[in-house]
Amino acid sequence: MAKGASQRYARRELQTSERPRRQQTFTERTELQYARRLVIKLGSAVITREDEHGLALGRLASIVEQVAECQIDGRECIMVTSGAVAFGKQKLTQELLMSMSMRETLSPADHTREHAGTMLEPRAAAAVGQSGLMSLYDAMFAQYGVKIAQVLVTKPDFYNEETRKNLFSTLSELISLNIVPIINTNDAVSPPPDIPDDEVAGGSGRRGISIKDNDSLAAMLAAEIQADLLVLMTDVDGIYNLPPWQDGAKMLHTFSSDHRNTIKFGEKSKVGTGGMSSKVNAALWAMDRGVAVVICKGTQERAIKSIISGRKIGTFFTQAAGSSTPVEVIAEYARVGSRVLQALRPEERAECIRILADLLESRQSDILAANAMDLEAASKKNLAKALLSRLSLTPAKLKSLSSGLHKIAEDSLNNVGRIVRRTKLAEGLELQQITVPIGVLLVIFESRPDSLPQVAALAMSSANGLLLKGGKEAANSNRYLMQLVKEALAKFEASNAISLVPTREDVSDLLSMEKHIDLIIPRGSSDLVRTIQEQSKHIPVLGHAEGICHVYIDKDADLTKALRIIRDSKCDYPAACNAMETLLIHEGLMRGNFFNDVCSMLHNEEVKINSGPKIREILTFGPPAAKSMRTEYGALECTIEVVSDVDDAINHIHKYGSSHTDVIVTEDTNTAKHFQREVDSACVFHNASTRFADGYRFGLGAEVGISTARIHARGPVGVDGLLTTKWILKGDGQTVADFAEGGSGSWLHQPLPLSES
Amino acid sequence: MAKGASQRYARRELQTSERPRRQQTFTERTELQYARRLVIKLGSAVITREDEHGLALGRLASIVEQVAECQIDGRECIMVTSGAVAFGKQKLTQELLMSMSMRETLSPADHTREHAGTMLEPRAAAAVGQSGLMSLYDAMFAQYGVKIAQVLVTKPDFYNEETRKNLFSTLSELISLNIVPIINTNDAVSPPPDIPDDEVAGGSGRRGISIKDNDSLAAMLAAEIQADLLVLMTDVDGIYNLPPWQDGAKMLHTFSSDHRNTIKFGEKSKVGTGGMSSKVNAALWAMDRGVAVVICKGTQERAIKSIISGRKIGTFFTQAAGSSTPVEVIAEYARVGSRVLQALRPEERAECIRILADLLESRQSDILAANAMDLEAASKKNLAKALLSRLSLTPAKLKSLSSGLHKIAEDSLNNVGRIVRRTKLAEGLELQQITVPIGVLLVIFESRPDSLPQVAALAMSSANGLLLKGGKEAANSNRYLMQLVKEALAKFEASNAISLVPTREDVSDLLSMEKHIDLIIPRGSSDLVRTIQEQSKHIPVLGHAEGICHVYIDKDADLTKALRIIRDSKCDYPAACNAMETLLIHEGLMRGNFFNDVCSMLHNEEVKINSGPKIREILTFGPPAAKSMRTEYGALECTIEVVSDVDDAINHIHKYGSSHTDVIVTEDTNTAKHFQREVDSACVFHNASTRFADGYRFGLGAEVGISTARIHARGPVGVDGLLTTKWILKGDGQTVADFAEGGSGSWLHQPLPLSES
């Protein structure tokens, strides 16, 4: 490290001693983005190759890259590193290999390598490695124009008041010079003795941690220099509630003070001197002194940057008192609650819904008060008027919501346990297929708080567990409405069946918990749906990301109907997913006035028109070219294209559509039949507006969503979409052996009427 | 690079000049594992940071890591690298910054950095960078004990016969000394002039490539030193059929000779001197000279190792003549074919199936001949007897298969287009929900070739497109049977609807093609199912990975029935997924003889018994402890555990079961009802064997599979599981505006009988 050079750098800040202490410790991951001073501790396991010969260069480089980026971004990084042993081992191995005779090196390379490796003594290796590792760090950080300084410490340095003071003043100086101090214990001379806590110099609780390993060293350092964040990198994902290999072991994303005595640790990690419990102790020690701590897997890609961006990497230590229930636990409760709901009689489930409906009216003033808080916050943020009106609850809205819920209650009696198939398999062997809830649903909805009681009622009516995540803007309204939901469920001890998911981050976690969540229903913008669909890898998502709906006007169309249907499809509610985006016109109609009539009607409605490539060939002057035939405008705008016949229209729809809703306008029944058979969309209409594609309009009751998926549910989905089935067989001791050749049984497979008599 | 040290290394092999030319060029990716001599070319875009200041160290380190691993594994690597310019730029920037006044450096760091960067001239940067880059390589490779040598070349070196000869003999020497040559054009003195191909020294086609950039340099080198594989790393995923940003652009996993003139290239890549077409030319040039080439994205994680392991990374250049149709195309054909099938009348689809059924009998001798080839190959491999018998087709099997197909044909008439719901929404507005095929199915089955015609017939009957992948052992049988399927479909020009997927690798690709595949059905071992479920991220998988079925013997059980049911559930076909794995016994029954009776019955049947923890508490001497309560033995082995009552049994099943099939044996109807309501499994039986959980036994016709998923289909799945629905609305010009408040329309939502009259 060039000392001369560092002096040419400007001091970027006050010296540490003068640095004002920050206001409070970070208690949420999202606050970590404000962490300015970081201590990063690399366990040797992180940067040692799996075969333990030398460094895992890629990993080390990636960590250097991240530290350098942090430094360039204006953060102050201190690294505590191990790895000199591994580095030295490699170097010594090489030397040994080189000094071997040719005959020896001719034997398989791996063998000699391993042999040479075992000949090395760790302390010798450390001595050799120290310089090599530092020069490697130097070369790597130089790539980013980041300067480093090696600080080699031994344990006595910490226990002697004067050397300790010198050490920290050196560190402060380096930090203020924008230099990254790289700290290592001097492995070569100092195998850390095991001095118990109370023998520590000074003896005060303030510095009362014994430096047993680099973890405690890093913790002490972090506390001493008032770091904001300490990252302890290790070889496991984080802290588990049980030894990780045990049944039921779960990684803790958050370790709060109350976990202190509830965690059992396994054996210490294979590589490195610090076991898991020593890491946790170091972390708790630092946390108690105001340093946020994350213990994470060092090999995790871009771990440091992810932690700083607030992502759930590793275990975050927080002092947040009584931190909220982990989301896995909420999900498990929902599963158990769902089973309670399922065991109720249909009338009891209906009663839950009715209680909720009544609470919506009797607690009107409280609901509106909670809602007023949200509205006030929103108005300060200058939210768009449309958003504000969606967010706002009114006595009228609550009344209509309540009566909607009474309707759901009424319709709910025949949902769960309904027989959908009955077969007499053989004499005395009757099979029933009955409806059952899907299990646990995760519903993510945007700001409208009225969705909450409605979705909750649908879950009750179908006996599903439900996790709900509403928009942040409606936080107060949602929290209060959820209280009412739980109150309604409490009568039958099913309060756990439905809960709010606290944070957006929790949603991300839930998306990968296929054991806990059976179906995800995002209700909101197509961006929301698309994001959820992409993130959920193994849990089905009910919904549609796109609604590119077409209206095709056939040559045999009644043109008055056509104009009506086009206007309604586009203009009734342009933001809806079932609004028309593309109008296809039979080329025969281009000769008359129809095209002009359509255009002037759309002009009157203030619809912006874009045109497809074929229409542009026909017209000398026409509307501007559409950027793509696959655009969902979601506004008063559309594309018009010409097609040569019904099959051309079908092909266009298959090529550019989103299988949502497509319409033909024609008076020719055969053409309509052909179109309705061939178009492969969830909804295919004849002489009706695209806007009819809706659960309520279809008579399905409350709408759960519209699905463009091809399995489970397709098109508008009512409460049936929240149900699956199971098979119930009643026998009298039958075995399949009875039905083998020559057996006494014989198959009947006789369908029975659905209602038992 | 220490020259002295290298001499101490043994020569690992013959000199290159003496190295025997390998037998043939690699034409398949799977052969790349045998590639011994590799030329790896890093584009500067690969190792330059996004902000273009300096190297992306992590990426470079990862490439070094992989090259070193290859070298250690006994391969011979040659690197062609750019990046000196970027390296030098960074270095010069630093120097500039250091020489600036304090005042300047106090201004925002990014600004000065950028400013300094723009002041640099590329050639100066290259000169500065060259030595720095090499010493960085040296330090990095030293981590792995791998020696490198810098070889700086200029264009004239290649065109002068003597210097060229010297160059290659130096390279051969280095390779034989187990040293990695790192080759770079001397950017500092040699801006490559654009000499057209025909002016190249020698003028022979053999070396007729002009060295325009590092791509052509690498290609020439690779050909000259007879490399097995050339990897050209760039900043895009591979070669596209169209410029990547254009609609319909697809990456080509394989670039065969026939693509030569069909590809359009976009602008050259942003960074680096070599555009895409120059890369392709270089690749083709090398390919023609027997070098396998892969063009890939350098930032792809562990690209080199992935390529060598045969994974589909980047674009693979192969001379394989008339390479098979890409699997995406086969899938698209299946989609189109499915639409043809769907447009047929049900009788026509049934006729297809009947034609196939008849072909199975009329072509019996050809089928058996194809099967005989498989059997012969299998017997050479000493396959297990059970496998051989599954693989073997016989006249009797074909006959029964044929009659099974006739049955499927008969049942198929009411599958597609069946009305499942009819509603009169309003006057003149009738809604129908009708069955339609799911789309394109991917079915993966293990060795039994009889599955092929059966699954094909189910696809025909449900008008689905179908991609089938059978076991390798049945390759000949499957190929011939598929010919018959296509023959049957040909009558209605739907041959493309059903195809074989050529390779296992193609299956992996299909698993991520959610646009092409709508449902995946793995039919085989639970390992197969689990693998497919894990790999398929966005396409639903119909099946079950586990069948941990329980039989619970209640205190009120008829013990004779219990013994019958236990025997049948465990012993009828122990390998089946619906065989019993765990027997739960009410603790009240432990006082009598029942436990002994069960054990001796199971002993007689040669069933090995393991015991749960609770039973071990009761018994002093009992069966050995079960390793886990969650074991699927799939053999004559089971676990027995004791439970305190029916609820304890239910809890046990929820905790350890797989939601497949669970049975209660009891004479108490209420207990049975309770069990059947509460147990959350696909099949819950009362007084009947677990083995009844089967599509045929349920009367569903041919079985598609058994699903433990909670959506779409659950339990045994018949052809209904291959269908979805769409919504058909017939109107007369209605708009939703008509139904708004004060409009002329009014909702009826009146259910109609399913059959139209």
Side-chain angles (χ1 to χ4, degrees), chain A residues 87 94 142-143 438 537 561 568 676 679 682 686-687 697 710 726-727 729 732-733 736, chain B residues 87 94 142-143 438 537 561 568 676 679 682 686-687 710 726-727 729 731-733 736:
Chain A
F87 191 97
Q94 258 174 260
Q143 291 303 313
I438 282 185
K537 301 235 159 35
K561 288 181 191 168
D568 195 67
Q676 291 192 299
V679 170
H686 173 208
N687 285 353
R697 290 173 192 140
R710 305 187 67 91
K726 72 178 177 189
W727 300 86
L729 181 64
D732 192 34
V736 299
Chain B
F87 191 98
Q94 260 176 259
Q143 290 305 311
I438 282 186
K537 302 237 160 31
K561 286 182 193 167
D568 195 65
Q676 291 193 299
V679 169
H686 172 208
N687 285 352
R710 304 186 67 92
K726 71 177 177 190
W727 300 87
L729 180 66
D732 192 32
V736 299

Short mmCIF file of all heavy atoms in Angstrom, two decimals, chain A residues 87 94 142-143 438 537 561 568 676 679 682 686-687 697 710 726-727 729 732-733 736, chain B residues 87 94 142-143 438 537 561 568 676 679 682 686-687 710 726-727 729 731-733 736:
data_model
loop_
_atom_site.label_atom_id
_atom_site.label_comp_id
_atom_site.label_asym_id
_atom_site.label_seq_id
_atom_site.Cartn_x
_atom_site.Cartn_y
_atom_site.Cartn_z
N PHE A 87 -4.25 -19.24 1.60
CA PHE A 87 -3.39 -18.66 0.58
C PHE A 87 -1.98 -19.21 0.70
O PHE A 87 -1.37 -19.63 -0.28
CB PHE A 87 -3.37 -17.13 0.74
CG PHE A 87 -2.73 -16.40 -0.41
CD1 PHE A 87 -3.51 -15.85 -1.41
CD2 PHE A 87 -1.36 -16.26 -0.49
CE1 PHE A 87 -2.93 -15.18 -2.47
CE2 PHE A 87 -0.76 -15.60 -1.54
CZ PHE A 87 -1.54 -15.05 -2.54
N GLN A 94 2.83 -25.02 -4.03
CA GLN A 94 3.49 -24.77 -5.31
C GLN A 94 5.00 -24.90 -5.20
O GLN A 94 5.64 -25.53 -6.01
CB GLN A 94 3.20 -23.33 -5.72
CG GLN A 94 2.14 -23.20 -6.75
CD GLN A 94 1.86 -21.72 -6.95
OE1 GLN A 94 0.89 -21.21 -6.41
NE2 GLN A 94 2.73 -21.04 -7.67
N ALA A 142 -7.16 -2.05 -6.57
CA ALA A 142 -6.59 -1.05 -7.47
C ALA A 142 -7.46 -0.91 -8.72
O ALA A 142 -7.54 0.15 -9.33
CB ALA A 142 -5.16 -1.42 -7.84
N GLN A 143 -8.14 -2.03 -9.09
CA GLN A 143 -9.03 -2.00 -10.25
C GLN A 143 -10.10 -0.92 -10.13
O GLN A 143 -10.64 -0.45 -11.11
CB GLN A 143 -9.76 -3.34 -10.40
CG GLN A 143 -8.86 -4.47 -10.80
CD GLN A 143 -8.16 -4.12 -12.07
OE1 GLN A 143 -8.78 -3.65 -13.02
NE2 GLN A 143 -6.85 -4.28 -12.10
N ILE A 438 -59.19 -25.18 -1.61
CA ILE A 438 -57.86 -25.37 -2.16
C ILE A 438 -56.82 -25.41 -1.06
O ILE A 438 -55.86 -26.15 -1.13
CB ILE A 438 -57.56 -24.25 -3.18
CG1 ILE A 438 -58.30 -24.58 -4.48
CG2 ILE A 438 -56.09 -24.10 -3.42
CD1 ILE A 438 -58.01 -23.65 -5.61
N LYS A 537 -42.42 -19.45 -8.66
CA LYS A 537 -41.89 -20.50 -9.52
C LYS A 537 -42.71 -21.77 -9.41
O LYS A 537 -42.87 -22.50 -10.37
CB LYS A 537 -40.45 -20.78 -9.12
CG LYS A 537 -39.58 -19.54 -9.25
CD LYS A 537 -38.39 -19.80 -10.14
CE LYS A 537 -37.77 -18.55 -10.71
NZ LYS A 537 -37.77 -17.37 -9.89
N LYS A 561 -75.02 -2.52 -35.05
CA LYS A 561 -74.56 -3.30 -33.89
C LYS A 561 -73.06 -3.15 -33.74
O LYS A 561 -72.55 -3.00 -32.62
CB LYS A 561 -74.90 -4.79 -34.08
CG LYS A 561 -76.37 -5.12 -33.95
CD LYS A 561 -76.57 -6.63 -34.12
CE LYS A 561 -78.06 -6.96 -34.27
NZ LYS A 561 -78.26 -8.37 -34.71
N ASP A 568 -68.88 0.46 -26.95
CA ASP A 568 -68.96 -0.08 -25.59
C ASP A 568 -67.66 -0.78 -25.20
O ASP A 568 -67.15 -0.59 -24.10
CB ASP A 568 -70.14 -1.06 -25.50
CG ASP A 568 -70.54 -1.37 -24.06
OD1 ASP A 568 -71.04 -0.45 -23.37
OD2 ASP A 568 -70.33 -2.53 -23.62
N GLN A 676 -66.16 -18.81 -33.07
CA GLN A 676 -66.22 -19.19 -31.65
C GLN A 676 -65.56 -20.53 -31.38
O GLN A 676 -65.07 -20.78 -30.30
CB GLN A 676 -67.68 -19.19 -31.16
CG GLN A 676 -68.24 -17.75 -31.11
CD GLN A 676 -69.56 -17.66 -30.38
OE1 GLN A 676 -70.53 -18.28 -30.78
NE2 GLN A 676 -69.60 -16.90 -29.29
N VAL A 679 -61.32 -19.67 -32.26
CA VAL A 679 -60.52 -18.72 -31.46
C VAL A 679 -60.26 -19.32 -30.08
O VAL A 679 -61.18 -19.67 -29.35
CB VAL A 679 -61.22 -17.35 -31.35
CG1 VAL A 679 -60.49 -16.47 -30.32
CG2 VAL A 679 -61.20 -16.66 -32.70
N ALA A 682 -60.13 -17.38 -23.64
CA ALA A 682 -60.99 -17.74 -22.51
C ALA A 682 -62.44 -17.37 -22.78
O ALA A 682 -63.35 -18.12 -22.43
CB ALA A 682 -60.49 -17.06 -21.24
N HIS A 686 -70.12 -13.51 -29.55
CA HIS A 686 -70.74 -13.21 -30.84
C HIS A 686 -71.75 -12.08 -30.61
O HIS A 686 -72.67 -12.21 -29.79
CB HIS A 686 -71.43 -14.47 -31.38
CG HIS A 686 -72.25 -14.24 -32.61
ND1 HIS A 686 -73.34 -15.02 -32.93
CD2 HIS A 686 -72.13 -13.33 -33.60
CE1 HIS A 686 -73.87 -14.59 -34.06
NE2 HIS A 686 -73.15 -13.57 -34.50
N ASN A 687 -71.55 -10.98 -31.32
CA ASN A 687 -72.47 -9.85 -31.24
C ASN A 687 -72.73 -9.34 -29.83
O ASN A 687 -73.87 -9.06 -29.44
CB ASN A 687 -73.82 -10.19 -31.90
CG ASN A 687 -73.72 -10.20 -33.43
OD1 ASN A 687 -72.68 -9.81 -33.98
ND2 ASN A 687 -74.77 -10.62 -34.11
N ARG A 697 -71.26 -10.30 -14.28
CA ARG A 697 -72.13 -10.34 -15.46
C ARG A 697 -72.41 -11.77 -15.91
O ARG A 697 -73.44 -12.08 -16.48
CB ARG A 697 -71.51 -9.52 -16.60
CG ARG A 697 -71.56 -8.04 -16.27
CD ARG A 697 -70.83 -7.16 -17.23
NE ARG A 697 -70.72 -5.84 -16.63
CZ ARG A 697 -69.66 -5.04 -16.68
NH1 ARG A 697 -68.60 -5.40 -17.38
NH2 ARG A 697 -69.66 -3.89 -16.07
N ARG A 710 -54.54 -21.85 -18.65
CA ARG A 710 -55.30 -22.88 -19.33
C ARG A 710 -55.70 -24.02 -18.40
O ARG A 710 -56.42 -24.92 -18.81
CB ARG A 710 -54.51 -23.42 -20.52
CG ARG A 710 -54.10 -22.29 -21.48
CD ARG A 710 -53.48 -22.84 -22.72
NE ARG A 710 -54.45 -23.57 -23.48
CZ ARG A 710 -55.21 -23.04 -24.45
NH1 ARG A 710 -55.07 -21.77 -24.77
NH2 ARG A 710 -56.07 -23.77 -25.09
N LYS A 726 -62.03 -33.70 -3.58
CA LYS A 726 -61.38 -34.93 -3.15
C LYS A 726 -62.33 -36.10 -3.36
O LYS A 726 -63.52 -35.90 -3.60
CB LYS A 726 -60.87 -34.85 -1.71
CG LYS A 726 -61.89 -34.86 -0.61
CD LYS A 726 -61.16 -34.83 0.75
CE LYS A 726 -62.13 -34.77 1.90
NZ LYS A 726 -61.45 -34.52 3.20
N TRP A 727 -61.77 -37.31 -3.31
CA TRP A 727 -62.53 -38.51 -3.61
C TRP A 727 -62.78 -39.28 -2.32
O TRP A 727 -61.85 -39.60 -1.60
CB TRP A 727 -61.77 -39.40 -4.60
CG TRP A 727 -61.48 -38.75 -5.92
CD1 TRP A 727 -60.41 -37.97 -6.20
CD2 TRP A 727 -62.27 -38.83 -7.11
NE1 TRP A 727 -60.48 -37.55 -7.52
CE2 TRP A 727 -61.60 -38.07 -8.10
CE3 TRP A 727 -63.47 -39.46 -7.46
CZ2 TRP A 727 -62.09 -37.93 -9.40
CZ3 TRP A 727 -63.94 -39.32 -8.75
CH2 TRP A 727 -63.27 -38.56 -9.70
N LEU A 729 -64.44 -42.73 -0.81
CA LEU A 729 -64.90 -44.06 -1.20
C LEU A 729 -65.44 -44.76 0.04
O LEU A 729 -64.79 -44.75 1.08
CB LEU A 729 -63.74 -44.84 -1.82
CG LEU A 729 -64.01 -46.26 -2.31
CD1 LEU A 729 -65.00 -46.28 -3.46
CD2 LEU A 729 -62.71 -46.94 -2.72
N ASP A 732 -66.85 -51.89 2.14
CA ASP A 732 -67.23 -52.80 3.21
C ASP A 732 -66.14 -53.86 3.36
O ASP A 732 -66.44 -55.04 3.55
CB ASP A 732 -68.60 -53.43 2.85
CG ASP A 732 -69.20 -54.16 4.03
OD1 ASP A 732 -68.98 -53.70 5.17
OD2 ASP A 732 -69.84 -55.20 3.80
N GLY A 733 -64.90 -53.41 3.23
CA GLY A 733 -63.78 -54.34 3.36
C GLY A 733 -63.25 -54.81 2.03
O GLY A 733 -62.44 -55.75 1.98
N VAL A 736 -58.65 -54.85 -3.91
CA VAL A 736 -58.59 -54.92 -5.37
C VAL A 736 -58.34 -56.35 -5.82
O VAL A 736 -58.65 -56.72 -6.96
CB VAL A 736 -57.54 -53.96 -5.98
CG1 VAL A 736 -57.85 -52.52 -5.64
CG2 VAL A 736 -56.12 -54.31 -5.59
N PHE B 87 -8.19 -1.82 -18.59
CA PHE B 87 -7.31 -1.86 -17.43
C PHE B 87 -6.46 -0.59 -17.37
O PHE B 87 -6.35 0.06 -16.35
CB PHE B 87 -6.40 -3.08 -17.52
CG PHE B 87 -5.63 -3.36 -16.26
CD1 PHE B 87 -6.07 -4.30 -15.36
CD2 PHE B 87 -4.46 -2.67 -15.99
CE1 PHE B 87 -5.36 -4.56 -14.20
CE2 PHE B 87 -3.74 -2.92 -14.83
CZ PHE B 87 -4.19 -3.86 -13.93
N GLN B 94 -6.48 6.77 -12.32
CA GLN B 94 -5.99 6.88 -10.95
C GLN B 94 -4.81 7.84 -10.86
O GLN B 94 -4.76 8.69 -10.00
CB GLN B 94 -5.46 5.51 -10.51
CG GLN B 94 -6.42 4.75 -9.67
CD GLN B 94 -5.83 3.39 -9.39
OE1 GLN B 94 -6.22 2.44 -10.03
NE2 GLN B 94 -4.87 3.31 -8.48
N ALA B 142 -1.98 -17.95 -10.13
CA ALA B 142 -1.09 -18.50 -9.12
C ALA B 142 -1.88 -19.12 -7.97
O ALA B 142 -1.44 -20.06 -7.32
CB ALA B 142 -0.18 -17.40 -8.58
N GLN B 143 -3.11 -18.61 -7.75
CA GLN B 143 -3.98 -19.17 -6.73
C GLN B 143 -4.22 -20.65 -6.94
O GLN B 143 -4.52 -21.37 -6.01
CB GLN B 143 -5.35 -18.48 -6.75
CG GLN B 143 -5.31 -17.07 -6.27
CD GLN B 143 -4.71 -17.00 -4.90
OE1 GLN B 143 -5.09 -17.76 -4.02
NE2 GLN B 143 -3.73 -16.14 -4.73
N ILE B 438 -56.60 -28.46 -23.47
CA ILE B 438 -55.69 -27.58 -22.73
C ILE B 438 -54.71 -26.92 -23.68
O ILE B 438 -54.33 -25.79 -23.49
CB ILE B 438 -54.97 -28.40 -21.64
CG1 ILE B 438 -55.94 -28.58 -20.47
CG2 ILE B 438 -53.70 -27.73 -21.20
CD1 ILE B 438 -55.33 -29.23 -19.26
N LYS B 537 -40.59 -24.30 -13.96
CA LYS B 537 -40.84 -23.17 -13.07
C LYS B 537 -42.21 -22.55 -13.34
O LYS B 537 -42.87 -22.08 -12.44
CB LYS B 537 -39.75 -22.12 -13.26
CG LYS B 537 -38.37 -22.67 -13.01
CD LYS B 537 -37.67 -21.88 -11.93
CE LYS B 537 -36.53 -22.61 -11.27
NZ LYS B 537 -35.78 -23.55 -12.04
N LYS B 561 -61.86 -57.48 8.36
CA LYS B 561 -61.76 -56.53 7.25
C LYS B 561 -60.40 -55.82 7.30
O LYS B 561 -59.75 -55.60 6.28
CB LYS B 561 -62.87 -55.47 7.35
CG LYS B 561 -64.25 -55.98 6.98
CD LYS B 561 -65.27 -54.84 7.06
CE LYS B 561 -66.70 -55.39 7.01
NZ LYS B 561 -67.69 -54.36 7.38
N ASP B 568 -54.06 -56.25 1.32
CA ASP B 568 -54.24 -55.79 -0.07
C ASP B 568 -53.50 -54.47 -0.29
O ASP B 568 -52.83 -54.29 -1.30
CB ASP B 568 -55.74 -55.60 -0.35
CG ASP B 568 -56.04 -55.49 -1.84
OD1 ASP B 568 -55.83 -56.49 -2.56
OD2 ASP B 568 -56.45 -54.40 -2.29
N GLN B 676 -63.16 -38.90 7.01
CA GLN B 676 -63.23 -38.56 5.58
C GLN B 676 -63.39 -37.07 5.35
O GLN B 676 -62.97 -36.54 4.34
CB GLN B 676 -64.37 -39.35 4.91
CG GLN B 676 -64.03 -40.84 4.84
CD GLN B 676 -64.96 -41.61 3.93
OE1 GLN B 676 -66.16 -41.66 4.18
NE2 GLN B 676 -64.41 -42.23 2.90
N VAL B 679 -59.51 -35.49 6.82
CA VAL B 679 -58.22 -35.82 6.19
C VAL B 679 -58.14 -35.11 4.84
O VAL B 679 -59.00 -35.27 3.97
CB VAL B 679 -58.02 -37.34 6.03
CG1 VAL B 679 -56.82 -37.64 5.14
CG2 VAL B 679 -57.82 -37.97 7.40
N ALA B 682 -56.12 -36.39 -1.44
CA ALA B 682 -56.86 -36.51 -2.69
C ALA B 682 -57.91 -37.63 -2.61
O ALA B 682 -59.01 -37.49 -3.10
CB ALA B 682 -55.90 -36.75 -3.85
N HIS B 686 -63.03 -45.34 3.16
CA HIS B 686 -63.55 -46.00 4.37
C HIS B 686 -63.75 -47.49 4.05
O HIS B 686 -64.46 -47.84 3.12
CB HIS B 686 -64.89 -45.33 4.77
CG HIS B 686 -65.62 -46.04 5.87
ND1 HIS B 686 -66.98 -45.98 6.00
CD2 HIS B 686 -65.17 -46.82 6.89
CE1 HIS B 686 -67.36 -46.69 7.06
NE2 HIS B 686 -66.27 -47.22 7.61
N ASN B 687 -63.10 -48.33 4.84
CA ASN B 687 -63.24 -49.79 4.68
C ASN B 687 -62.98 -50.28 3.25
O ASN B 687 -63.72 -51.11 2.72
CB ASN B 687 -64.62 -50.25 5.14
CG ASN B 687 -64.75 -50.26 6.66
OD1 ASN B 687 -63.75 -50.05 7.37
ND2 ASN B 687 -65.94 -50.50 7.16
N ARG B 710 -53.25 -29.38 -5.80
CA ARG B 710 -54.53 -28.96 -5.27
C ARG B 710 -55.35 -28.18 -6.28
O ARG B 710 -56.48 -27.81 -6.00
CB ARG B 710 -54.33 -28.13 -4.00
CG ARG B 710 -53.51 -28.90 -2.96
CD ARG B 710 -53.45 -28.14 -1.67
NE ARG B 710 -54.75 -28.09 -1.07
CZ ARG B 710 -55.22 -28.98 -0.19
NH1 ARG B 710 -54.47 -29.98 0.19
NH2 ARG B 710 -56.42 -28.86 0.29
N LYS B 726 -63.87 -22.95 -22.24
CA LYS B 726 -63.93 -21.54 -22.62
C LYS B 726 -65.39 -21.09 -22.59
O LYS B 726 -66.31 -21.91 -22.52
CB LYS B 726 -63.27 -21.28 -23.98
CG LYS B 726 -63.97 -21.78 -25.20
CD LYS B 726 -63.15 -21.34 -26.45
CE LYS B 726 -63.77 -21.87 -27.74
NZ LYS B 726 -62.88 -21.66 -28.89
N TRP B 727 -65.57 -19.78 -22.60
CA TRP B 727 -66.90 -19.19 -22.46
C TRP B 727 -67.34 -18.63 -23.79
O TRP B 727 -66.64 -17.83 -24.40
CB TRP B 727 -66.89 -18.08 -21.42
CG TRP B 727 -66.47 -18.51 -20.05
CD1 TRP B 727 -65.21 -18.58 -19.57
CD2 TRP B 727 -67.33 -18.93 -18.98
NE1 TRP B 727 -65.21 -19.01 -18.26
CE2 TRP B 727 -66.50 -19.23 -17.87
CE3 TRP B 727 -68.72 -19.08 -18.83
CZ2 TRP B 727 -67.01 -19.67 -16.64
CZ3 TRP B 727 -69.21 -19.52 -17.61
CH2 TRP B 727 -68.38 -19.81 -16.54
N LEU B 729 -70.36 -16.61 -25.66
CA LEU B 729 -71.53 -15.77 -25.40
C LEU B 729 -72.18 -15.42 -26.74
O LEU B 729 -71.50 -15.02 -27.68
CB LEU B 729 -71.09 -14.49 -24.66
CG LEU B 729 -72.16 -13.46 -24.30
CD1 LEU B 729 -73.15 -14.03 -23.28
CD2 LEU B 729 -71.51 -12.20 -23.74
N GLY B 731 -74.96 -13.03 -28.46
CA GLY B 731 -75.79 -11.85 -28.20
C GLY B 731 -76.42 -11.34 -29.47
O GLY B 731 -76.41 -12.00 -30.50
N ASP B 732 -76.92 -10.15 -29.34
CA ASP B 732 -77.61 -9.56 -30.48
C ASP B 732 -77.26 -8.06 -30.53
O ASP B 732 -78.13 -7.23 -30.78
CB ASP B 732 -79.12 -9.78 -30.31
CG ASP B 732 -79.87 -9.47 -31.59
OD1 ASP B 732 -79.28 -9.69 -32.68
OD2 ASP B 732 -81.02 -8.99 -31.49
N GLY B 733 -76.02 -7.78 -30.20
CA GLY B 733 -75.58 -6.40 -30.22
C GLY B 733 -75.58 -5.74 -28.86
O GLY B 733 -75.42 -4.53 -28.74
N VAL B 736 -72.62 -3.42 -22.37
CA VAL B 736 -72.81 -3.38 -20.91
C VAL B 736 -73.46 -2.06 -20.49
O VAL B 736 -74.07 -1.97 -19.44
CB VAL B 736 -71.50 -3.62 -20.11
CG1 VAL B 736 -70.92 -4.98 -20.42
CG2 VAL B 736 -70.49 -2.54 -20.34
#
